[in-house]
Amino acid sequence: MRELGFLTFVPNHGGTAGAASALQDGLRLFETAETLGYGTGWVRGRHFEPFLTSPMTFFAAAAQRTSTIAFGTAVLGMRYEDPVRLAEDASTVDLLSGGRVQLGISTGIAGYGPILDPVFGAVDRSFRDEAEARAARLLEVLDGDALGSAGSGYESIPAGADLTLQPLSPSLRDRVWWGGGSMGTAVRTAEKGLLLHCSTLNTEDTGAPFAQAQADQIAAYGERFTELHGGTSRTSKVAVGRIVVPLLDDHDRAVHEEFLTGYASGMDDEGRPLSGPPFRFSKVLSGEPAAIVDALLDDPAVTATDELVITLPANGDVAAHERILRIVAEEIAPALRA
C-alpha cells in the first residue's frame, strides 16, 4: 500500500431540511481528510437515495476548499449516464481542480433495471450492452475524438469542423477507473487499459475467501495489463476498499453499534448474504487499531494494492467519520507503511 484514500456516501439523515447541511458536512470531511494526508476522497453515485447523487457538482465545490486531495467516483453506473455530458462535467472539474479527478465507472447493477429504466428511459439493448456502449463512448469523448461535424457551421464553430469535447482535460483519460467485482471484469478492465477499483463487494462467489478472491482478480488484472500494455505509456493501478471502524472507547462502540450489528446480521461469517444474489461482501474491521493493522496486513488484496480506501459507514455523522479518518491516519496507516 503506497496511498491512502477514503470513501464516503455523503449521507443525508435529515431529509429535505437536512440536505444542504449534509452536503456541507461532506465538504468538511474532504477538508479534514486533506489535512490528515489522505490522497483521494471517493464517493458513490446513488440515484434517489439519501446520499450524494451529483458527484461532479460536489467536486467543483470541494475543489474550491481544498488544494491537494483528489476526487474520485466509486463508481458511476454508465447505464444511466450520458457519456458526453459526463465527460464535459468531469473535464471541467478536472481543469478547475488542477487535475484531481479520478473518474470511476462501471456498468452498474442490472437488477435495478426494472426500477430505473422507466425513469431514465428504456433502450433496445440489454442493460450490460447499453452500459458498455456508453462507457466506450465516454472514453472516445475523453480521448478528444471527433464526435460529429459542424456541417455548414454551428454557432461559433466554422463549417466542416469536428465536434470535440470542450473543455478537454488531456490527462483525464489516464485516470479512468473501472469498478471490479469478478475475475472476468478484472481481465476486461486490463484489456481496456483502465485502472481497477475493487470495493467491498465481489459479484461472484468462487468459493475462495473474499480477500483471496479479490487478490486473484488483482493478479489477473496485472498480468493481462502487462501483456497488452507493457512498454506503452499506460500504467496499471489498483485501489481496494475496506470498511474500517476503530473502537477505542464506549462512545465509539455506542456510535457504531447499529451499523456493526446491522451489517453482520445480513450475511453469514463468510460474507454471503442470507438472501439475495450470490455476492460476497468483505467483513467490517473493527476494534483496537493494533488488531485492525494485523487484519489488514493479513489481507492478500490489501497487500497487493496501490491504494487502500477506507470505506466509511453509510450512517453516522460527520464527527464520527472524522474520528475514523483521524485514527486510521495516525494509528493504523503508519504501521501499514512500516
Side-chain angles (χ1 to χ4, degrees):
M1 183 202 84
R2 299 196 303 269
E3 301 175 22
L4 182 65
F6 76 97
L7 184 149
T8 173
F9 288 77
V10 190
N12 172 25
H13 306 302
T16 302
S21 178
L23 292 169
Q24 290 297 328
D25 284 346
L27 294 173
R28 169 182 155 186
L29 194 66
F30 270 73
E31 291 178 289
T32 299
E34 180 174 89
T35 65
L36 292 171
Y38 284 80
T40 305
W42 300 86
V43 300
R44 299 279 198 221
R46 295 298 189 95
H47 296 296
F48 308 112
E49 295 187 68
F51 305 117
L52 186 64
T53 60
S54 182
M56 292 304 154
T57 51
F58 178 84
F59 290 164
Q64 304 306 302
R65 293 171 55 164
T66 58
S67 58
T68 60
I69 194 168
F71 315 113
T73 52
V75 286
L76 299 178
M78 287 305 299
R79 166 62 184 89
Y80 302 115
E81 295 289 338
D82 181 293
V84 178
R85 285 292 299 117
L86 176 58
E88 290 174 336
D89 288 347
S91 188
T92 297
V93 176
D94 198 49
L95 292 168
L96 284 172
S97 65
R100 290 190 275 158
V101 171
Q102 303 288 334
L103 184 56
I105 61 174
S106 74
T107 56
I109 300 177
Y112 296 160
I115 299 171
L116 295 180
D117 282 3
V119 178
F120 287 92
V123 293
D124 294 331
R125 287 180 285 214
S126 70
F127 184 99
R128 177 169 291 279
D129 287 348
E130 181 67 24
E132 291 282 1
R134 295 187 185 206
R137 184 62 163 171
L138 174 68
L139 297 180
E140 292 174 350
V141 180
L142 293 175
D143 276 331
D145 292 354
L147 309 176
S149 172
S152 60
Y154 170 73
E155 298 290 348
S156 63
I157 306 174
D162 290 333
L163 303 180
T164 59
L165 173 63
Q166 298 294 333
L168 173 66
S169 181
S171 64
L172 179 56
R173 170 61 178 80
D174 295 329
R175 285 174 274 122
V176 179
W177 300 70
W178 192 271
S182 69
M183 182 65 74
T185 299
V187 172
R188 289 191 295 273
T189 300
E191 291 170 348
K192 296 172 182 175
L194 303 179
L195 313 180
L196 179 64
H197 197 291
C198 298
S199 70
T200 57
L201 165 69
N202 277 336
T203 57
E204 66 181 1
D205 187 350
T206 64
F210 178 92
Q212 185 58 56
Q214 212 167 54
D216 293 341
Q217 296 167 20
I218 293 170
Y221 164 78
E223 291 170 7
R224 187 63 170 154
F225 199 102
T226 299
E227 177 184 350
L228 295 178
H229 308 291
T232 71
S233 61
R234 297 212 176 279
T235 56
S236 63
K237 189 174 183 180
V238 179
V240 168
R242 289 293 182 265
I243 306 173
V244 175
V245 183
L247 303 175
L248 273 60
D249 54 33
D250 289 341
H251 177 73
D252 290 338
R253 284 183 279 274
V255 167
H256 298 295
E257 180 180 8
E258 180 181 1
F259 169 75
L260 295 174
T261 301
Y263 189 91
S265 66
M267 63 192 73
D268 65 19
D269 291 340
E270 295 299 321
R272 296 184 176 93
L274 300 181
S275 62
F279 292 165
R280 292 285 291 274
F281 292 87
S282 66
K283 297 179 180 178
V284 176
L285 304 179
S286 63
E288 293 290 333
I292 293 174
V293 168
D294 289 343
L296 290 171
L297 290 175
D298 196 43
D299 186 316
V302 171
T303 56
T305 195
D306 299 295
E307 178 179 344
L308 172 62
V309 179
I310 303 302
T311 303
L312 296 168
N315 57 0
D317 60 21
V318 65
H321 290 169
E322 285 179 325
R323 179 166 169 78
I324 290 175
L325 294 183
R326 186 173 301 280
I327 294 171
V328 169
E330 295 176 353
E331 301 188 37
I332 294 176
L336 298 178
R337 293 181 169 128

